[in-house]
Amino acid sequence: MKKSALQKARAAYQPKLPIVLTGPVKAVEGKPTESVADQAEIKALFPNTYGLPELKFEKNANPTAGRPINVGVILSGGQAPGGHNVISGLFDGIKKIHRDSRLYGFLMGPGGLVDHKYMELTAPIINEYRNTGGFDIIGSGRTKLETKEQFDKGLEILRELDIKALVIIGGDDSNTNAAILAEYYKEIGAGVQVIGCPKTIDGDLKNSQIETSFGFDTATKVYSEVIGNIQRDCNSAKKYWHFIKLMGRSASHIALECALQTQPNICIISEEVEAKNLSLDDVVANIANTVAARAENGDNFGIVLIPEGLIEFIPAIKSLIRELNDVLAEHPDLATKSADEIFAFIKANLSADNAATLASLPEKVARQLCLDRDPHGNVQVSLIETEKLLSEMVAKKLDEMAKDGKFNGKFSALHHFFGYEGRCADPSNFDADYCYALGFNATCLINSGVTGYMSSVRNLTKPSVQWVAGGIPITMMMNMERRNGAMKPVIQKALVDLDGAPFKKFASQRDDWAVNTCYVYPGPIQYFGPAEVCDQPSLTLKYEHQGK
Ligand code: FBP
């Protein structure tokens, strides 16, 4: 395979491990844990893996000789920079336990386990992928692992390959399924440990134990580079308003981080829209007022950042989606009908308020809300063109304002969506180190004999050698939520905390950014050079840690 000069140089990068993981470790147990909410229900659903203690690794002065172990690995869900380094860390970790250990990758996501599609990951393969972006080493997929039949089918191949531990690299839904799988294998005495790793560019798999999910750092740096470039173009030509939608299915962490890095004129935070009970018209009016205020200064240009999940956080639309989910769950037979039939059925079966909200949306958006779902039942927000929806509505609003003498400028909009551009970027030094440590640490959890844990590496704003390694019981992160019409145990998603330091920092400066032009141009990720240029964590992490 032909390689670029950067690829060749980057292949030689040696990720920095936390100092504690550079030698033999022992797991030190903390106190037994409780789930974050709904303790009685979660305990009843996870009798074998509930209440386990947090684990922290410390140096072990008296290590025992390791035995060969076969481990399986799955990449689940959306790509995130650094997945290959989790797998390299895992590979190096099991080889350190014993050189005859083997690593098997299940192909194209959890479906590979069920369908028995796998490959052995050997040193030459792993070496091709060190420090590279993408999930192409084994591929990824969104098959939901949830039924006993799937678990049993998976166990057949795990037994055949003598795999004693399975590492699932995924977001909140995939790690929820990892916990359910761990519980089931423990209950039936399958002898297979299940360990999760926190992945998602969305940054919403985090809590008091997991400081960040991997991939967020690199993806937001890539988007911020491009936003900065657009800002400079915008400030040079001074004639366009750029409406930029940013990935992040639900939470607005990506938009917030990019705003902190680039200081755009407007950044919408979905969680704030919900908290203030804003309507779509309110959001539009706020943007139009800023456009008008800038026009008064002669600035007929600007930047609007829009989180991908916005539409789901507008209270009226949220209520509509909830009812849509229930209608779809109550009528599984709809799956066999045509799109037009489903749409007509839904429209006829909604409550009056929600039907009115559906009718107020452009037909294309209304259809997307009703019809396009991923295997977890999520609305596929990345398909909804909110950036165009908003700019069209802003243009209309400005026409009205112009008639009332409240806008006397020009408004010409361009649209962008940044998501897939950042998901497979070569991991930043932060993600390269973090991911390698997560994978290596997962082998320490396996070696400790535990199951139902998530690999945890903390203290992330310090140099990587000072990071703290351990394991967090996944049940600790769970609560009960309504999914597809029924209450289910799931890992609680971390939304933007409006009382948290990153949002407060943004809120304290945004009025200035709105009217004045205060753009920052972060430039591309740097892999080589001084630590202050190459090794900085995200601003979200930095402010969260400062706030502690
Ligand atoms: P994960 O939660 O699986 O990490 O995926 C996140 C994400 O990148 C979202 O930001 C986006 O909405 C979604 O995946 C897109 O999904 P797909 O890759 O299936 O188009």
Side-chain angles (χ1 to χ4, degrees):
M1 205 194 297
K2 193 164 181 241
K3 290 205 171 109
S4 69
L6 177 62
Q7 267 179 302
K8 284 183 205 153
R10 192 64 182 153
Y13 178 73
Q14 182 52 52
K16 301 179 272 297
L17 270 182
I19 201 87
V20 67
L21 295 185
T22 56
V25 293
K26 60 176 184 229
V28 177
E29 291 190 2
K31 291 198 194 86
T33 57
E34 293 275 11
S35 63
V36 68
D38 309 311
Q39 290 82 7
E41 288 99 320
I42 307 283
K43 189 173 181 180
L45 289 165
F46 294 88
N48 297 288
T49 50
Y50 186 87
L52 298 168
E54 274 186 47
L55 298 177
K56 186 174 161 206
F57 290 120
E58 290 182 2
K59 281 208 153 92
N60 186 354
N62 303 305
T64 49
R67 301 227 311 261
I69 180 161
N70 291 356
V71 171
V73 63
I74 296 175
L75 288 164
S76 181
Q79 285 68 252
H84 290 159
N85 271 27
V86 180
I87 294 180
S88 327
L90 201 54
F91 181 82
D92 293 350
I94 61 167
K95 289 290 182 187
K96 201 161 178 188
I97 294 172
H98 196 286
R99 66 192 168 88
D100 291 335
S101 299
R102 284 163 176 245
L103 182 62
Y104 293 94
F106 290 97
L107 305 181
M108 301 311 293
L113 175 70
V114 181
D115 300 336
H116 299 187
K117 302 233 165 76
Y118 66 90
M119 67 190 276
E120 184 176 352
L121 295 168
T122 55
I125 298 173
I126 294 284
N127 291 342
E128 278 292 303
Y129 287 92
R130 289 181 192 271
N131 309 311
T132 60
F135 278 5
D136 42 322
I137 187 169
I138 49 173
S140 184
R142 291 199 183 276
T143 303
K144 196 165 158 58
L145 272 188
E146 57 179 350
T147 65
K148 188 174 157 323
E149 291 68 35
Q150 289 174 313
F151 299 167
D152 290 338
K153 199 87 204 343
L155 190 54
E156 283 171 18
I157 189 69
L158 295 172
R159 288 208 164 122
E160 197 179 312
L161 298 172
D162 194 26
I163 289 175
K164 295 283 185 259
L166 185 63
V167 176
I168 298 182
I169 302 171
D172 51 344
D173 286 332
S174 310
N175 274 284
T176 293
N177 296 336
I180 297 171
L181 188 63
E183 173 68 26
Y184 179 70
Y185 284 169
K186 185 96 197 232
E187 180 195 322
I188 63 168
V192 178
Q193 300 162 251
V194 183
I195 302 295
C197 269
K199 169 237 72 167
T200 177
I201 60 160
D202 292 2
D204 56 7
L205 174 45
K206 64 174 175 181
N207 44 53
S208 49
Q209 296 81 30
I210 301 294
E211 294 181 0
T212 187
S213 55
F214 80 75
F216 175 76
D217 185 80
T218 310
T220 52
K221 282 179 174 142
V222 172
Y223 306 144
S224 298
E225 177 205 347
V226 190
I227 294 165
N229 294 349
I230 291 178
Q231 290 186 151
R232 206 143 213 175
D233 192 286
C234 180
N235 200 19
S236 305
K238 302 193 191 294
K239 61 178 181 181
Y240 293 125
W241 270 88
H242 292 266
F243 283 67
I244 306 174
K245 185 173 74 165
L246 292 162
M247 251 193 190
R249 186 206 312 282
S250 187
S252 309
H253 298 294
I254 292 181
L256 177 58
E257 171 67 22
C258 292
L260 291 167
Q261 286 193 35
T262 61
Q263 306 192 170
N265 304 103
I266 300 173
C267 174
I268 303 168
I269 301 296
S270 309
E271 291 81 346
E272 187 183 24
V273 169
E274 183 175 32
K276 292 186 170 165
N277 201 12
L278 301 184
S279 65
L280 194 52
D281 283 341
D282 295 331
V283 174
V284 168
N286 289 343
I287 300 174
N289 288 338
T290 299
V291 173
R294 285 179 66 77
E296 280 193 9
N297 299 337
D299 292 337
N300 290 302
F301 64 93
I303 303 286
V304 186
L305 301 187
I306 304 155
E308 181 182 50
L310 173 66
I311 203 99
E312 281 188 281
F313 280 78
I314 294 172
I317 300 179
K318 191 173 190 171
S319 148
L320 165 66
I321 293 174
R322 200 176 298 132
E323 194 177 357
L324 285 174
N325 287 344
D326 288 350
V327 172
L328 290 171
E330 281 160 20
H331 297 91
D333 50 303
L334 283 175
T336 60
K337 306 270 191 260
S338 72
D340 283 342
E341 284 170 323
I342 301 175
F343 193 50
F345 179 87
I346 288 175
K347 278 203 284 190
N349 282 276
L350 286 175
S351 62
D353 281 356
N354 288 334
T357 305
L358 190 69
S360 73
L361 296 170
E363 164 114 1
K364 196 171 169 210
V365 176
R367 279 179 171 266
Q368 282 169 322
L369 288 182
C370 294
L371 304 172
D372 298 335
R373 298 304 165 99
D374 76 4
H376 296 270
N378 300 309
V379 174
Q380 289 185 279
V381 281
S382 59
L383 302 178
I384 298 176
E385 294 182 316
T386 352
E387 66 283 22
K388 290 194 182 143
L389 176 71
L390 284 179
S391 89
E392 278 163 24
M393 292 177 77
V394 168
K396 253 195 205 162
K397 181 90 195 158
L398 288 169
D399 282 347
E400 286 163 26
M401 287 167 71
K403 279 182 203 140
D404 295 343
K406 290 180 183 153
F407 174 58
N408 182 21
K410 291 190 193 110
F411 178 71
S412 178
L414 292 177
H415 308 103
H416 315 265
F417 169 37
F418 299 145
Y420 299 99
E421 293 82 348
R423 298 202 310 184
C424 285
D426 282 346
S428 60
N429 285 356
F430 175 87
D431 270 328
D433 293 351
Y434 182 43
C435 291
Y436 187 77
L438 283 171
F440 197 95
N441 184 59
T443 63
C444 300
L445 289 168
I446 294 168
N447 211 20
S448 312
V450 297
T451 190
Y453 276 77
M454 192 180 287
S455 178
S456 139
V457 175
R458 295 150 88 161
N459 216 19
L460 296 174
T461 49
K462 293 276 173 359
S464 44
V465 288
Q466 293 175 32
W467 290 352
V468 174
I472 308 296
I474 303 179
T475 51
M476 188 180 179
M477 305 168 199
M478 295 179 123
N479 67 169
M480 300 297 290
E481 285 177 24
R482 196 168 178 78
R483 292 284 169 93
N484 292 333
M487 293 305 283
K488 296 263 170 70
V490 292
I491 293 178
Q492 199 175 57
K493 224 182 237 312
L495 300 178
V496 168
D497 176 5
L498 302 181
D499 293 321
F503 179 79
K504 281 189 172 161
K505 182 88 184 171
F506 160 72
S508 69
Q509 300 187 330
R510 64 176 158 187
D511 291 347
D512 184 24
W513 303 348
V515 186
N516 303 309
T517 301
C518 310
Y519 303 150
V520 174
Y521 313 113
I525 293 178
Q526 300 295 308
Y527 300 99
F528 306 98
E532 69 271 22
V533 180
C534 301
D535 294 344
Q536 292 301 317
S538 66
L539 291 175
T540 302
L541 253 187
K542 188 175 145 193
Y543 295 139
E544 279 172 352
H545 281 241
Q546 275 174 4
K548 276 181 189 165

